[in-house]
Amino acid sequence: MDFPQTKRRVSGLTLVLLLGMTAPALAGGAGPRSSERDLTLQFGPVSAQATLSLPAGAAKAPLVLLIAGTGPEDQNGSYSVSAGQVVQGSLGALAQHLSQAGFAVMRFDKRYAAGTFQPQTAQAAFTEYGKLGMTDLLADARTALNAAKQQPRVDASKVFIYGWSEGSVIASSLALETNASGLIVQGPVVDSFADSFANQFERVGLAYLQPYSKDGKIDLKGVLAALYGNGSGLAKTEASLLFSLESTPQKPMLSTLLDTNKDGLIDLKAEALPQIRQFYQQFTPQSPMYAPATTLPTLGELASRLKLPVLIMQGENDGNIDPAAAQRLDDALGAAGNADHTFKLYAGLGHSLGLSPAITQDTFAPMQSGPMNDMAAWLTQRSR
């Protein structure tokens, strides 16, 4: 369909802007100094770097595996963007925080991530990552978990798995197959991927575009203004869906497919929303990451099988995942008989559990200390 950049987003980086990446770095919590052990893992045809953070002392520690969100992120949750710019992530800070609380924490570069940070290899690395299915990412997480369990000072009988956003899907499948001691999901993907992407346009796109429209209808001038407005990367990406694929910076054009009555305006709810929703239903399954044969079930599909302790962490101002979906997951766990499920909803925080003033301005700010402390307390209680 006539949506700019959408094919690249689905087949290349698997809708990186839609499911999101990790937040900038934040210093870890106070406590005894932890140590780090560097490891090299083999993910398919490529090697990847990993780090095991260990608490002070000589005793064995329960293990926490961190699984990042969408796209080829490194072990700290950092990722490369256009023009060689690198956005620093906070998985390293989270690992430090949890290791100071007494846990061994494993984090790892996603497959092909290292290559995306080097200009001479970036294009090839992004291309190769775009060929992966979610089953490949599950295999890599399994390799990382097994390597961590074999390390000295790791208590392999107590394993917890954390997954953020798209990583929540991988974490849930891995937790089930390994009989993990507990599962932590942050901004979890509950609905189908196609529905989740469409919901982002309905929640964030419509809210962001409304002030630039008149009576719910927007023209080319309004869309251009939205691209330069005060919105998050996701909000502006949703606005860009209203351009034609033939648009260029020199000659921007509205999507003629979305302007169904050809009046030079796009009715956001009556014209854009139903066609964008239909597009995701048709095109998302064609991406290797979300194709039926190579994807994984979302949390909504797995809820009835998740009998282990589950912590759901959700920002109230999350632009990428609707808090109502996280609430539905918690309700489904209870209805399925899970006796230990906890839902934490954080006012004023976004997808990264960093500060977010609104869903249209959720810029993945650094994770706040409160959620980190809550995570550490939950883990401590369940590792005794």
Side-chain angles (χ1 to χ4, degrees), residues 309-335:
V310 179
L311 172 62
I312 305 168
M313 308 183 79
Q314 176 68 46
E316 193 173 49
N317 289 344
D318 187 332
N320 292 67
I321 297 296
D322 189 346
Q327 180 64 68
R328 289 199 305 274
L329 172 60
D330 187 59
D331 293 342
L333 292 173

Side-chain angles (χ1 to χ4, degrees), residues 129-149:
Y129 186 87
K131 298 176 182 178
L132 296 177
M134 201 162 289
T135 50
D136 296 313
L137 301 185
L138 174 60
D140 294 347
R142 185 185 301 118
T143 296
L145 177 61
N146 290 337
K149 291 167 70 173

Side-chain angles (χ1 to χ4, degrees), residues 78-89:
S78 301
Y79 57 96
S80 177
V81 292
S82 60
Q85 180 184 356
V86 175
V87 176
Q88 299 298 322

Side-chain angles (χ1 to χ4, degrees), residues 237-271:
T237 297
E238 300 297 341
S240 76
L241 295 179
L242 304 188
F243 284 119
S244 167
L245 278 176
E246 285 71 41
S247 285
T248 66
Q250 296 75 26
K251 189 179 179 181
M253 297 180 289
L254 279 182
S255 168
T256 56
L257 290 181
L258 296 184
D259 180 13
T260 56
N261 62 5
K262 312 305 178 187
D263 63 352
L265 302 171
I266 294 177
D267 189 310
L268 295 173
K269 289 185 178 180
E271 293 180 316

Side-chain angles (χ1 to χ4, degrees), residues 77-133:
S78 301
Y79 57 96
S80 177
V81 292
S82 60
Q85 180 184 356
V86 175
V87 176
Q88 299 298 322
S90 61
L91 288 188
L94 178 59
Q96 182 184 11
H97 195 100
L98 296 180
S99 65
Q100 289 175 350
F103 296 89
V105 186
M106 181 70 158
R107 64 191 193 275
F108 57 94
D109 289 356
K110 295 179 73 174
R111 197 186 301 198
Y112 300 111
T116 64
F117 292 88
Q118 304 299 324
Q120 64 272 24
T121 59
Q123 183 175 354
F126 279 118
T127 298
E128 291 304 312
Y129 186 87
K131 298 176 182 178
L132 296 177

Side-chain angles (χ1 to χ4, degrees), residues 9-15 19 69-72 110 128-138 166 169-170 193 197 284-297:
R9 280 163 38 207
V10 175
S11 61
L13 288 186
T14 63
L15 299 141
L19 282 185
T70 305
K110 295 179 73 174
E128 291 304 312
Y129 186 87
K131 298 176 182 178
L132 296 177
M134 201 162 289
T135 50
D136 296 313
L137 301 185
L138 174 60
E166 186 177 275
V169 174
I170 301 164
F193 288 105
F197 297 142
T284 300
Q286 298 178 36
S287 163
M289 193 65 70
Y290 310 117
T294 52
T295 195
L296 295 171

